[in-house]
Amino acid sequence: MDFIYHLSNASLTLRVVQFLHEYAKLPVQFVTVIHQVDGWVVRVKMHTPLSDEQAGNFRAFLNELGFPYTPGISLKMALWALETGQPMVDVMRRYQVAVVSHGTPNYDDIEAFRKQFIQGLGYCPETLA
């Protein structure tokens, strides 16, 4: 069971990661976080299907923060490559995407990416707020 959502900024992305850490009843297999020029794509894949109630609650939470996202072919291929175990660096080079985190939801990876990006630009774009 997959949930793929588009979020507008880093703060919302961090809220999803924090929620997944606190809501331990979800059987999360992995979380992929990708930064794009217009926002963030977050994919949450479950080990096993959720009950209707769990899926509804999780979707409601995600819908408050962003919207369901249908990736284009290039991003679909990048997500598939990550799922099959290809190294993040290879995926980033091949598909020209900024993979911030893949695997266990990682708050620190997102914060580090955000800080480095802002430091390199010298200002904070809306997507990194």
Side-chain angles (χ1 to χ4, degrees):
M1 180 172 251
D2 269 353
F3 297 87
I4 302 176
Y5 273 74
H6 185 274
L7 307 172
S8 61
N9 61 47
S11 297
L12 297 174
T13 305
L14 290 168
R15 284 178 68 190
V16 171
V17 171
Q18 181 181 12
F19 178 82
L20 290 171
H21 279 292
E22 292 175 2
Y23 194 64
K25 293 180 183 177
L26 292 178
V28 176
Q29 182 175 351
F30 64 81
V31 176
T32 304
V33 177
I34 294 176
H35 180 258
Q36 296 182 314
V37 173
D38 64 342
W40 298 74
V41 175
V42 176
R43 177 187 185 199
V44 181
K45 182 165 177 120
M46 302 296 172
H47 279 290
T48 57
L50 301 179
S51 70
D52 290 341
E53 182 179 352
Q54 284 178 314
N57 288 341
F58 189 49
R59 262 193 207 93
F61 170 75
L62 291 171
N63 285 332
E64 287 180 13
L65 303 178
F67 59 88
Y69 185 72
T70 304
I73 189 69
S74 181
L75 188 54
K76 278 184 188 178
M77 294 300 294
L79 292 169
W80 175 81
L82 290 166
E83 184 174 357
T84 60
Q86 295 181 30
M88 283 177 37
V89 174
D90 292 349
V91 172
M92 287 191 279
R93 283 188 189 127
R94 186 176 305 121
Y95 299 104
Q96 300 296 302
V97 295
V99 180
V100 178
S101 180
H102 176 73
T104 304
N106 195 326
Y107 194 92
D108 295 334
D109 286 348
I110 297 165
E111 269 300 322
F113 174 84
R114 186 175 164 262
K115 287 178 183 174
Q116 287 178 347
F117 205 99
I118 291 169
Q119 186 177 23
L121 287 176
Y123 72 98
C124 183
E126 276 186 50
T127 62
L128 296 172

